[in-house]
Amino acid sequence: MVCVDALGHASDPLAALAEIHRILTPGARAVITRAVRRDTEPAWHDQARAAGLHVEHVQERPDEPAMWRRLYQLWQARADDLARHLGEAQACAMLAEAARHHPTLPGRRAVALTLRRPLRCTDQPHVEETPA
């Protein structure tokens, strides 16, 4: 399962993680991208544990905020082209996103988390031993 930058917008992140746990089969993984403020200690280990998930890997993505900064600047510089090619409503939505997020990028840290739903004892395959 892949969740791209959506968990941070959930009204109840623990409920969202619990739903991820519910839909994953035992042993399955979810990859979740997140952006957090640099000056905060993220709670994803505690949140994942509370939802019954295990944080298997955290990958820092240091170049991502700079990539978004360049993209937002391009959108703003080409606003007329966006409106002409995508329509006024889509261009306005993109420019509003750029105006909202561009100022926050210097203080952001981007990561990708790999979460795993652990195998339960009852989910382990039963292997019959044959006498020798």
Side-chain angles (χ1 to χ4, degrees):
M1 192 219 110
V2 177
C3 177
V4 179
D5 294 338
L7 192 59
H9 300 287
S11 59
D12 186 348
L14 288 176
L17 284 170
E19 180 64 9
I20 290 170
H21 177 272
R22 187 189 71 76
I23 65 172
L24 288 176
T25 59
R29 291 173 177 82
V31 176
I32 299 172
T33 61
R34 294 283 312 260
V36 294
R37 289 190 316 264
R38 289 189 188 281
D39 59 352
T40 62
E41 185 59 37
W44 48 64
H45 286 280
D46 293 337
Q47 291 173 342
R49 190 176 314 108
L53 298 166
H54 171 72
V55 177
E56 195 169 68
H57 184 71
V58 177
Q59 178 185 355
E60 295 287 336
R61 301 168 62 172
D63 296 333
E64 189 172 305
M67 181 273 307
W68 281 107
R69 185 175 57 249
R70 288 189 304 272
L71 184 62
Y72 290 150
Q73 288 169 341
L74 182 61
W75 289 358
Q76 291 166 332
R78 301 286 178 105
D80 292 338
D81 291 336
L82 285 175
R84 187 171 44 258
H85 293 288
L86 302 175
E88 193 66 34
Q90 182 63 40
C92 284
M94 292 170 70
L95 293 169
E97 176 185 330
R100 191 171 53 252
H101 292 297
H102 188 261
T104 68
L105 291 173
R108 287 180 67 175
R109 172 180 166 212
V111 297
L113 305 167
T114 303
L115 305 178
R116 183 177 44 82
R117 179 176 171 181
L119 289 171
R120 296 181 306 227
C121 293
T122 58
D123 296 324
Q124 304 267 348
H126 178 68
V127 178
E128 295 278 334
E129 288 195 30
T130 55

